[in-house]
Amino acid sequence: MLTRRQLLKAGAITGAALLVPGGGSLLLPNGLRSTNALADAIPGGTLDPTAVPKYVTSLVIPPAMPRQAAIQNDSIDYYVIAVRQFLQQILPAGHPATTVWSYGSVAGGGTFNYPAFTIEATVDRPVRVKWMNELVDGSGNYLPHILPVDPTLHWANPPGGTGGRDMRPYFGSTPGRYTGPVPMVVHLHGSHSTEEADGFAEAWYLPDANNIPAAYAVVGSYYDVFKAKAEGLNGAIWDPGSAVFQYANDQRAGTNWFHDHTLGMTRLNVYAGPAGFYLMRGGPSDLPAGVLPGPSPKLGDPPGTKYYEIPIAVQDRSFNADGSLFYPASREFFDGFAGPYIGAGNSDISPIWNPEFFGNTMVVNGRTWPTLQVEPRRYRFRFLNGCNSRFLILKIASDGLARRPARAALPFWQIGSEGGFLPAPVQLDYLLMGLAERADVIVDFTGLKVGSELYLINEAPDEPFGGGKPERDFPAADPGSTGQVMKFKVVPLASNDTSVPPHQLTLPAFTPLGPASYTRQVSLNEVDSATLEGVGPRAALLGTMAGADPVHREWADAITENPDLNATEIWEMFNFTEDAHPIHIHEVMFQVVDRERIDRRGRARPPESWETGYKDTVTAYPGEITRVKAKFDLPGLYVWHCHIVEHEDNEMMRPYRVGP
Ligand SMILES: [Cu+2]
C-alpha cells in the first residue's frame, strides 16, 4: 500500500490536487487507491499485531487518583503525583509485560498505572499537584529514556548546560540517541491554567538523581521563573525534581487530561505512557447527579462497584516480541532516507525523528483490544484520542471485520467536547477525533439481548488524515488490526437505568463568546530539506501570513501572537500542507467559527454538529482556512501547537503571550 507521502515522493500527485477541502475528495490516480480491505501490515516492531489475540482482556476502568490531603482549611485538593518506570501487562496474558512510564500517587500504594488514575476535580475548587519526576532506579540514579531520543531537534537539551538548554545543538558528526536523564513537565490539557502552572515546554526538570552530570542543565529555561512566581503566589515549595502546579478550576465542567509537554520530547514522553484523565464536575455548567449514566470511579468505592460512566483513552502502539514498546530509531523507518543526516555532509535532516508515527496495535486504557461487559442500559463514555499521529473515526459495528465503511449498529449521542457540554445532544453514526480531542457521549445498549457482541471499530486511515470519507477518499484502517478498537459484550441488567434518554436531555445553558475585536491570521506549513533534493519533510512549521503567503516561524523566533488581556480574537489558520493538523491553543476554550477554502472558492462551512460547543483543539484541513474564536483572559506566556506530537516536537509549536 502506497502512503500519501510515498505518492507525493513519486510525483503522482500535484500540489494543486491536494488542496482539497475537508469534506472533499482527494484526487488519487486510478489504481493507486486501496480497494482491498485487508491492507498490508503496518510496519512496526518484531511483534506481529495479528498474532495478538483480541478481546481476551477486560477494559481497565481507571480508579480515582488518591489525594494526599485537603489543605488550607479543606479549601484545596492536594495531590503528590510522581512519574515512574514500571512493568505493565498491556498485551494479553502469555505475552511479556511492557516497560512503561506513568503517573501515580505517592500517597497510595499500587496506584501507578498506564494510563494514570483519574483526577476528579470540582469546578471552582482548586487542585494543587506536586508533580515529581521520579525516573530513577532503585539506587537513585537516573533512568535513560526507553525510546530513541533525537538530540538534533530544537529540544530541551540538558547536555547543553544552562547556556545551551532549550536549543538546537550543533553536531560535527551524526549523533546517536540521547541516553541521559529525562526532562519532564506536565501540561493539564484543557485547563484554564495560569502561566506558571501550564507546563510550558521550557519549564521542564530532570529527576533529582544522584548521578546527573555536573555540566547538565537540571531545569529548563523557564523553570526558575515559574518556580519563583508560583512560590510567591501560593507558598508551595518546588523541591528539586518537582514542580507544584495549582489549578483554579474556574472553568466549565468537562473532560481534560494531563500529559507531558517537554520541548522536543513530547512524542516520546507521551508514547512511553504518562497520561491520565482529569474530570471537572459541578457548577452551573454541569448536570445534576442522576441525569446522565453513572457513577464513575470515586475514592473509597467498594470492590465490584459497577460503573456506567467510563473514560476511554484510545492509543495506537507497536510492540516488540519481548513486550517492549516499539518506536522508530531512525528516519529510515519513515521514508527509507538513510542519510546523510545532520552532522554528516551538508544535511539538515534529523537522524531519528519521524515526521509521523502510526502504531499497528490498538491499546485502550492500557490494554490491547479489550472487552467491556455492558448491561442493556445507557453508558456515558468520555473518549480521548491519545494517539501520536493517528486520527480516529470510531463507529459501533456488529462485526469487527465488517466491510468498510461499516453500517453503524448503534449511534453515539455526543453531549460534550473538550470544553464541556454541547448546546444540545447530537446523534452521530461515527466520532471523528483528531489527536487530543475528547468526545463525551452516551451509548444506549437498552434492549440488546444478553450475549450479543458489538465492536468499536476505527475507519480513519493508517496514514496522515486529510479529510474526506473512508473508502471514498482514503483506505480505512486495516480491519485486521488498527481498524478494530474494543468489544462490547452484553451481560444481564444489574439494576434499573434511571438516566434520561439522550434525545430527551436538556444540557446546561450555553453562553457563546461575544464579538471579536481582532482577527489574526496564522499559517500551518511543512518544509523539505533545504540542502538535499527531494528529501522531506524536514519539519512542520507554524507561522504568520504576509498578504496571501505564509511566513514560516520557528519556536525560537520572536513572539508574533500577542492578544491583549481579555481580548476576544478570531484566529484564521491557513493550512498550506497536504495533511490535517489538530491545532491546540493553551489556556483558552474556543468556538469554531467556520472553515473556508484558501482559494475562496465555494462558501465557508459552518462547524460540524459536534463542534458547536467549546473546544481546545480543532482540526485544520489541508487547503483551508479554519477560524476559531477565543477570549484570552489570563495574562502570560503560553503555547499553541499541532497535536500530532511528532510535528509539535519539531517546530510546529509557537510561544504566544497574552498582555504586555
Ligand atoms: Cu501537525
Side-chain angles (χ1 to χ4, degrees):
M1 182 180 74
L2 279 171
T3 67
R4 288 177 59 212
R5 285 199 185 278
Q6 285 164 334
L7 282 170
L8 279 171
K9 271 190 199 13
I13 298 180
T14 68
L18 283 162
L19 293 177
V20 294
S25 180
L26 192 67
L27 305 175
L28 289 178
N30 278 340
L32 288 175
R33 216 171 89 186
S34 171
T35 50
N36 179 2
L38 291 168
D40 293 344
I42 305 149
T46 53
L47 181 66
D48 175 359
T50 62
V52 178
K54 295 184 181 69
Y55 313 125
V56 296
T57 52
S58 295
L59 179 81
V60 174
I61 301 172
M65 181 75 84
R67 296 182 190 110
Q68 196 82 7
I71 56 173
Q72 295 193 356
N73 293 323
D74 193 31
S75 64
I76 297 176
D77 291 336
Y78 180 51
Y79 295 82
V80 181
I81 296 174
V83 60
R84 292 180 185 162
Q85 178 170 311
F86 53 94
L87 278 169
Q88 180 167 317
Q89 195 70 42
I90 296 173
L91 296 162
H95 286 275
T98 301
T99 297
V100 291
W101 297 349
S102 192
Y103 306 106
S105 167
V106 170
T111 62
F112 284 79
N113 191 69
Y114 152 65
F117 287 16
T118 299
I119 295 181
E120 282 281 345
T122 304
V123 170
D124 287 331
R125 179 180 168 86
V127 163
R128 181 184 294 181
V129 185
K130 180 175 185 175
W131 296 105
M132 305 181 69
N133 180 346
E134 291 193 346
L135 292 173
V136 294
D137 65 16
S139 310
N141 295 324
Y142 69 78
L143 289 165
H145 213 294
I146 58 175
L147 302 167
V149 179
D150 191 323
T152 69
L153 303 181
H154 187 145
W155 72 298
N157 193 34
T162 50
R165 60 187 169 181
D166 302 311
M167 302 227 309
R168 184 187 292 276
Y170 169 80
F171 289 98
S173 61
T174 303
R177 61 202 276 179
Y178 168 75
T179 56
V182 176
M184 297 200 94
V185 63
V186 178
H187 170 57
L188 177 51
H189 187 128
S191 172
H192 187 234
S193 292
T194 42
E195 59 171 356
E196 77 287 347
D198 195 50
F200 189 69
E202 294 184 358
W204 51 266
Y205 44 99
L206 299 183
D208 185 24
N210 296 328
N211 60 337
I212 306 291
Y216 276 39
V218 296
V219 297
S221 310
Y222 275 88
Y223 179 92
D224 287 326
V225 176
F226 291 141
K227 171 183 157 81
K229 184 173 178 189
E231 290 179 350
L233 280 173
N234 58 42
I237 303 302
W238 293 21
D239 296 321
S242 73
V244 185
F245 292 165
Q246 187 156 317
Y247 309 107
N249 297 324
D250 55 345
Q251 60 187 107
R252 287 159 54 86
T255 308
N256 298 333
W257 64 299
F258 49 95
H259 62 79
D260 185 75
H261 216 290
T262 302
L263 187 66
M265 288 183 70
T266 296
R267 70 196 181 288
L268 305 168
N269 288 358
V270 172
Y271 190 84
F277 285 94
Y278 184 109
L279 304 180
M280 298 260 313
R281 299 179 197 273
S285 59
D286 203 356
L287 288 171
V291 173
L292 297 176
S296 62
K298 297 281 181 298
L299 291 173
D301 283 345
T305 302
K306 293 190 183 305
Y307 299 116
Y308 305 109
E309 183 204 318
I310 301 171
I312 297 179
V314 180
Q315 299 180 300
D316 59 340
R317 295 287 185 267
S318 290
F319 295 87
N320 293 308
D322 65 1
S324 60
L325 285 169
F326 168 85
Y327 191 88
S330 168
R331 167 73 187 220
E332 206 172 350
F333 179 85
F334 176 74
D335 58 3
F337 179 68
Y341 299 123
I342 287 173
N346 189 19
S347 175
D348 54 3
I349 298 294
S350 289
I352 301 177
W353 177 77
N354 277 216
E356 289 98 21
F357 175 71
F358 289 79
N360 56 24
T361 304
M362 295 307 266
V363 175
V364 185
N365 287 359
R367 285 188 177 169
T368 56
W369 292 296
T371 298
L372 176 66
Q373 294 194 340
V374 294
E375 298 171 28
R377 61 187 298 154
R378 287 179 282 277
Y379 282 73
R380 180 183 186 185
F381 297 130
R382 303 191 193 230
F383 286 105
L384 162 69
N385 180 346
C387 300
N388 274 30
S389 292
R390 176 185 291 278
F391 278 66
L392 297 170
I393 297 176
L394 301 176
K395 194 180 273 185
I396 297 174
S398 54
D399 177 1
L401 290 168
R403 185 184 169 82
R404 274 39 168 178
R407 197 181 68 82
L410 278 184
F412 300 99
W413 283 87
Q414 186 163 348
I415 55 174
S417 56
E418 296 91 87
F421 289 109
L422 302 178
V426 180
Q427 185 180 356
L428 299 167
D429 279 347
Y430 63 89
L431 302 175
L432 167 59
M433 299 187 70
L435 291 308
E437 286 186 314
R438 284 87 77 200
D440 191 352
V441 305
I442 294 172
V443 177
D444 193 347
F445 298 96
T446 303
L448 289 185
K449 277 219 296 256
V450 171
S452 47
E453 297 180 336
L454 293 169
Y455 296 82
L456 184 70
I457 65 166
N458 167 38
E459 295 186 337
D462 285 323
E463 60 185 20
F465 180 63
K469 299 286 186 204
E471 296 303 318
R472 188 191 75 188
D473 305 307
F474 53 83
D478 178 6
S481 57
T482 49
Q484 296 188 53
V485 180
M486 62 181 283
K487 185 166 94 172
F488 302 105
K489 186 176 169 83
V490 181
V491 298
L493 193 66
S495 59
N496 284 328
D497 185 354
T498 55
S499 68
V500 176
H503 65 278
Q504 294 175 5
L505 269 176
T506 301
L507 298 178
F510 184 87
T511 309
L513 292 167
S517 58
Y518 188 75
T519 297
R520 187 179 294 284
Q521 297 187 325
V522 296
S523 59
L524 317 182
N525 312 286
E526 192 175 279
V527 286
D528 290 337
S529 171
T531 58
L532 300 165
E533 185 75 31
V535 178
R538 167 174 66 81
L541 297 174
L542 298 174
T544 52
M545 294 287 291
D549 298 320
V551 180
H552 297 177
R553 312 256 181 198
E554 300 196 332
W555 174 253
D557 291 329
I559 285 175
T560 44
E561 288 72 60
N562 184 205
D564 290 337
L565 182 59
N566 291 319
T568 298
E569 294 196 352
I570 288 174
W571 286 24
E572 298 186 329
M573 305 171 180
F574 290 68
N575 183 351
F576 292 98
T577 78
E578 74 260 30
D579 299 325
H581 299 267
I583 301 298
H584 173 38
I585 307 175
H586 284 215
E587 181 202 335
V588 297
M589 285 289 174
F590 51 70
Q591 288 185 272
V592 180
V593 177
D594 62 13
R595 295 182 175 92
E596 184 179 10
R597 288 173 60 124
I598 289 178
D599 63 13
R600 311 281 173 158
R601 286 171 59 191
R603 285 205 194 138
R605 300 197 313 282
E608 303 286 355
S609 61
W610 61 87
E611 294 179 324
T612 51
Y614 280 103
K615 292 176 61 61
D616 62 30
T617 306
V618 67
T619 296
Y621 290 99
E624 289 193 345
I625 307 162
T626 300
R627 296 186 179 89
V628 302
K629 182 160 74 171
K631 184 176 181 188
F632 297 86
D633 64 350
L634 289 173
L637 183 62
Y638 294 92
V639 298
W640 66 286
H641 62 89
C642 178
H643 221 287
I644 292 174
V645 282
E646 282 75 17
H647 294 182
E648 169 185 350
D649 275 350
N650 193 3
E651 299 290 0
M652 205 167 191
M653 175 163 72
R654 289 277 291 149
Y656 84 94
R657 180 177 294 283
V658 179

